[in-house]
Amino acid sequence: MITDEQREKLRGWFTGRLPDDLFESLAEVVVDREEITVIGRIPGPRLTEDVSAAEREAAVQGRIQEFRERTREDRIEVAREAEHKFRRKVSWGVECDGERVLFTHVAAPVMTRLRQPERQVLDTLIAGGVARSRSDALAWCVRLVQRHTDDWLAELRDSLEHVQRVRDRGPDTEGVADSSTGDPEDG
């Protein structure tokens, strides 16, 4: 679990390291054990007021694709530095005219053991055409929980950060490096 202070230092590093003209603004930096996702805002295409929804959508997609191709080398250079410094993969995305698109992101495997009632839930999702495999069904379940429990998960994350801060102030922390915190300053 990464603390708010570590997240702020990470965001600050990217803010300082990114070329000034890469994004209009840095929208979000999300981090977990495997990945740092950097999302920036880019300007939307200039369109007239009477343009159709289909034309607007195509123009936004075109703008995003143009940005992705034009900035590839700059993003690769920053990602290499960050991956070395923070020991995590870096993924990129943009927000343009209210649409968020991720270019690349890590799909990390997760191993779990499920009992029969839990496997039956996954198999029902497969039989119903919601998912192609148990892996897809489990990912679908995680997204569903995430969508419907954002407030609860945010409160839980805040509590975990508080526990980490208390641990960091404990008597046995002098000279002990805890690699599980993923401190961005460790690089």
Side-chain angles (χ1 to χ4, degrees):
M1 183 80 197
I2 189 167
T3 66
D4 282 338
E5 181 181 354
Q6 292 167 332
R7 189 174 295 108
E8 289 167 6
K9 287 180 179 180
L10 190 75
R11 182 181 173 90
W13 185 87
F14 276 97
T15 299
R17 176 57 187 89
L18 292 173
D20 288 337
D21 60 346
L22 188 65
F23 298 125
E24 278 187 331
S25 64
L26 187 58
E28 189 173 15
V29 176
V30 181
V31 63
D32 68 9
R33 283 190 270 177
E34 292 84 19
E35 176 180 29
I36 300 167
T37 304
V38 180
I39 301 170
R41 284 188 188 84
I42 62 172
R46 292 183 188 158
L47 300 168
T48 61
E49 295 283 328
D50 60 342
V51 70
S52 71
E55 186 175 345
R56 179 175 303 282
E57 182 180 337
V60 168
Q61 290 303 317
R63 174 59 51 91
I64 291 169
Q65 187 62 35
E66 182 277 333
F67 172 86
R68 183 178 187 185
E69 296 301 321
R70 177 175 46 83
T71 63
R72 180 172 274 121
E73 292 304 316
D74 285 339
R75 290 183 292 109
I76 288 172
E77 184 179 333
V78 172
R80 282 189 183 133
E81 288 178 35
E83 287 170 6
H84 177 74
K85 181 172 180 61
F86 303 118
R87 294 187 299 270
R88 290 174 174 85
K89 288 293 184 187
V90 175
S91 301
W92 298 93
V94 294
E95 287 182 359
C96 181
D97 255 12
E99 181 160 347
R100 181 176 277 204
V101 175
L102 293 178
F103 301 153
T104 55
H105 52 282
V106 173
V110 177
M111 179 85 167
T112 186
R113 296 184 187 281
L114 300 176
R115 292 186 167 79
Q116 189 176 33
E118 296 150 341
R119 293 190 311 265
Q120 287 174 332
V121 169
L122 301 181
D123 293 342
T124 300
L125 293 171
I126 295 166
V130 172
R132 296 184 314 260
S133 65
R134 284 181 172 174
S135 177
D136 286 344
L138 188 55
W140 183 88
C141 290
V142 169
R143 287 190 302 271
L144 182 66
V145 168
Q146 180 185 23
R147 183 177 307 129
H148 293 290
T149 59
D150 281 342
D151 292 340
W152 181 82
L153 287 173
E155 187 176 339
L156 181 60
R157 286 184 189 109
D158 289 344
S159 296
L160 290 171
E161 288 179 13
H162 176 72
V163 167
Q164 185 61 47
R165 285 191 302 272
V166 170
R167 281 185 187 151
D168 290 344
R169 291 192 314 259
D172 297 331
T173 58
E174 283 299 314
V176 176
D178 182 2
S179 63
S180 67
T181 63
D183 188 350
E185 291 298 304
D186 287 347

